[in-house]
Amino acid sequence: MTALELSSPVAVVGTGTMGQGIAQVALLAGHPVRLYDAVPGQAQKAAGAIAARLDRLVEKGRLTADDRAAAGERLAPVESLAGLAGCGLVIEAILEQLDVKQRLFEELEGIVTEDCLLATNTSSLSVTAIAGTLDKPGRFVGLHFFNPAPLLPLVEVVSGFATEETAATRAYETAKAWGKTPVRSADTPGFIVNRIARPFYAEALRLYEERVADPATIDAVLRECGGFKMGPFELTDLIGQDVNEAVTRSVWESFFQDPKFTPSLAQRRLVESRRLGRKSGQGWYAYGDDAVPAEPHTAAPAKAPESVVLHGDLFPADALVDLIRKAGIRVGRGKGVPSYPGFIELPSGVHLALADGAAADAAAEPTIDFDLALDYRAATRIAIAPSSRVDEQALKEAIGLFQALGKKVSVIGHTPGMIVARTVWMLVDFALDAVGREVASAEDIDTAMRLGVNYPLGPLEWGRRLTAYRVAESLDVLNDAYPTGRYAPSQALRRQAVREEYS
């Protein structure tokens, strides 16, 4: 099954920001595009807004004047659904209410031809449920674009329970012909991105609720140590707290209140207070001309130790050893048998260890945990968490050591898994669980998470770096600390861990 022919008209129903963006994508791909909105006059206004954006593309040299003129001739607002007869594809981008969408497609079934592909851009509703009242649900698919649609490359092509393979393939090939990067997904709550991304927000919110660190510090650690482009607090402020919380709640309810998807009370209170983020001028952070940027906690300068002792293997933080040596600090070797997890012994005798799922207070010796980094050489900030038995001098030794490597240091409360590590472990677990349940292929999941939410690595690639065995082991320890089932490794993660252990 090939992509929709360029001569075939594409209709977009719902002409808000997303609808306009989708229409622009189809238009510039070469299709005639028809716009419809239930609000009188709205489709005409949307056509004008799209035309203005095309003009700006010409001004920026991204579109020729001739192509702009041709595109303008292909764009047509219509006053009724009847005006969509003869379209080869109808994409809906209206209100996220199941009954409203169902009524729309029931009416469209009586207007379009039998070979017309019907698609919803829903991000939170079941594709199967929307198509459930149709006479021919086999031609119905989800085409989930990401906002802004003209700029973001990812499109999730979602097959409902009754979607025919020919329809899904045509939708996939059409999105690809439009210059997008399509990925296939089964009809599961949140599809790929909104399902697997939940821990990125949830773990940050839990750390905040436990007062391990403030939002600015958590964001900074995930950016500057974890390699994420934005932290979860600033990202939810950008998305809109009400939008992000609604998606979280929808996924949680759709999974029958599975504890892995539990929403945050802190975020609920933020929404109830109408602190919705950038659009309201206040969310986790303040916005506006007079707003003072929130600063992360950064430790004051401290003197680096002259020498440290390495015990065992720091995998996956081995790069620190070379960085320490290059900073002019002597690295001795412990006399014990090399093992993992290893640790760095500071002159005070305190152990500096990579977060492994247990709180630092659980260690036999006074311990300072340090967080996982995407790349310890490139990281500009490190979070450390001292146990209650660590004195001020030992803490300064750890701070000075990382500062000597060119890192800013954020001291946080001691907590199992710290910030980056527990977030990444959960992302890996969610991704493997999705593969195991055949939500999507491993390749499509990593592609979706890199392109849809701009992660520095696909979670499955990150899992391969860390190994499933060690991720499962760390989550087991974390699950002991929080025995609610939230952190229990999925069966898919456990199976992968066993395969790695015995391969």
Side-chain angles (χ1 to χ4, degrees):
M1 181 62 67
T2 58
L4 194 68
E5 294 181 358
L6 289 181
S7 59
S8 186
V10 172
V12 178
V13 179
T15 58
T17 301
M18 181 59 78
Q20 290 180 31
I22 295 170
Q24 181 178 326
V25 171
L27 191 66
L28 291 181
H31 290 273
V33 174
R34 300 177 192 174
L35 299 175
Y36 172 76
D37 198 288
V39 178
Q42 190 60 41
Q44 188 69 46
K45 289 181 181 178
I50 293 170
R53 282 199 291 273
L54 297 181
D55 288 337
R56 287 196 291 274
L57 290 176
V58 173
E59 293 171 2
K60 294 177 180 179
R62 298 176 184 173
L63 187 67
T64 68
D66 287 345
D67 287 343
R68 158 66 183 88
E73 292 177 0
R74 294 194 302 271
L75 182 62
V78 299
E79 297 180 357
S80 69
L81 286 177
L84 307 185
C87 287
L89 168 62
V90 179
I91 306 175
E92 162 273 316
I94 65 173
L95 193 65
E96 286 285 88
Q97 289 186 3
L98 178 60
D99 58 339
V100 176
K101 292 180 187 289
Q102 287 176 329
R103 287 196 297 271
L104 167 66
F105 284 108
E106 287 170 10
E107 191 172 350
L108 281 169
E109 257 196 326
I111 294 171
V112 299
T113 59
E114 290 189 0
D115 61 348
C116 177
L117 192 62
L118 300 178
T120 175
N121 183 60
T122 186
S123 61
S124 60
L125 298 177
S126 164
V127 171
T128 301
I130 297 173
T133 60
L134 298 181
D135 292 330
K136 295 183 178 180
R139 60 170 165 174
F140 191 87
V141 299
L143 275 177
H144 181 216
F145 289 77
F146 288 74
N147 194 29
L151 298 180
L152 294 186
L154 186 69
V155 177
E156 292 177 319
V157 180
V158 185
S159 291
F161 192 77
T163 301
E164 295 172 356
E165 177 59 27
T166 54
T169 300
R170 170 156 282 189
Y172 180 96
E173 294 298 336
T174 297
K176 188 174 181 180
W178 291 358
K180 297 300 182 181
T181 303
V183 292
R184 289 178 178 265
S185 174
D187 185 20
T188 184
F191 311 140
I192 300 174
V193 172
N194 280 329
R195 173 181 174 143
I196 296 173
R198 293 349 292 164
F200 182 69
Y201 312 111
E203 294 313 307
L205 288 162
R206 182 156 199 156
L207 290 164
Y208 165 76
E209 289 173 338
E210 294 179 357
R211 298 302 189 262
V212 170
D214 60 277
T217 299
I218 294 171
D219 276 353
V221 171
L222 281 162
R223 282 195 319 268
E224 300 169 36
C225 183
F228 293 91
K229 300 299 181 184
M230 296 182 74
F233 294 98
E234 59 187 335
L235 181 55
T236 52
D237 266 0
L238 178 63
I239 295 168
Q241 296 301 331
D242 52 341
V243 174
N244 183 262
E245 200 262 353
V247 172
T248 298
R249 187 168 295 275
S250 173
V251 172
W252 175 63
E253 291 173 349
S254 296
F255 276 114
F256 308 103
Q257 301 185 357
D258 186 325
K260 286 181 177 289
F261 297 94
T262 302
S264 161
L265 180 60
Q267 190 176 37
R268 177 96 289 260
R269 292 291 179 260
L270 206 65
V271 173
E272 289 173 341
S273 66
R274 305 307 296 166
R275 297 187 174 194
L276 305 181
R278 288 182 178 272
K279 62 186 177 184
S280 69
Q282 177 72 54
W284 293 111
Y285 304 113
Y287 301 91
D289 296 338
D290 299 330
V292 178
E295 294 293 333
H297 170 77
T298 302
K303 183 179 178 181
E306 294 182 358
S307 64
V308 296
V309 178
L310 175 65
H311 297 266
D313 181 8
L314 293 183
F315 170 93
D318 284 336
L320 286 176
V321 179
D322 185 50
L323 291 175
I324 292 170
R325 289 193 175 108
K326 287 182 177 178
I329 299 170
R330 296 191 304 277
V331 179
R333 268 286 178 182
K335 296 180 180 179
V337 178
S339 62
Y340 176 83
F343 61 90
I344 296 170
E345 184 181 347
L346 298 171
S348 59
V350 168
H351 294 183
L352 187 60
L354 178 62
D356 65 353
D361 272 345
E365 301 293 336
T367 301
I368 300 173
D369 284 346
F370 63 91
D371 213 344
L372 176 68
L374 172 67
D375 180 344
Y376 283 99
R377 297 181 187 279
T380 57
R381 181 180 298 272
I382 292 289
I384 63 175
S387 69
S388 57
R389 290 181 289 164
V390 172
D391 62 23
E392 189 68 23
Q393 179 57 37
L395 180 59
K396 287 182 178 179
E397 288 176 353
I399 293 170
L401 176 64
F402 282 112
Q403 288 175 341
L405 310 186
K407 319 297 184 187
K408 296 177 182 177
V409 178
S410 291
V411 180
I412 67 171
H414 62 82
T415 186
M418 300 191 69
I419 298 174
V420 179
R422 68 195 284 177
T423 300
V424 171
W425 298 334
M426 289 294 281
L427 289 171
V428 171
D429 184 56
F430 273 45
L432 277 169
D433 182 56
V435 173
R437 295 175 186 271
E438 297 185 350
V439 171
S441 70
E443 181 181 0
D444 276 358
I445 285 173
D446 273 0
T447 296
M449 302 312 291
R450 284 188 293 100
L451 299 183
V453 277
N454 213 10
Y455 284 1
L457 276 182
L460 295 168
E461 171 61 24
W462 215 328
R464 286 189 290 273
R465 290 189 181 189
L466 298 176
T467 75
Y469 176 80
R470 290 190 173 100
V471 172
E473 187 177 56
S474 297
L475 285 178
D476 271 329
V477 176
L478 197 58
N479 189 49
D480 288 340
Y482 298 95
T484 63
R486 176 186 179 114
Y487 299 105
S490 66
Q491 289 304 306
L493 175 57
R494 291 194 187 280
R495 288 194 297 269
Q496 181 63 26
V498 170
R499 282 194 291 267
E500 288 182 357
E501 187 177 10
Y502 292 103
S503 62

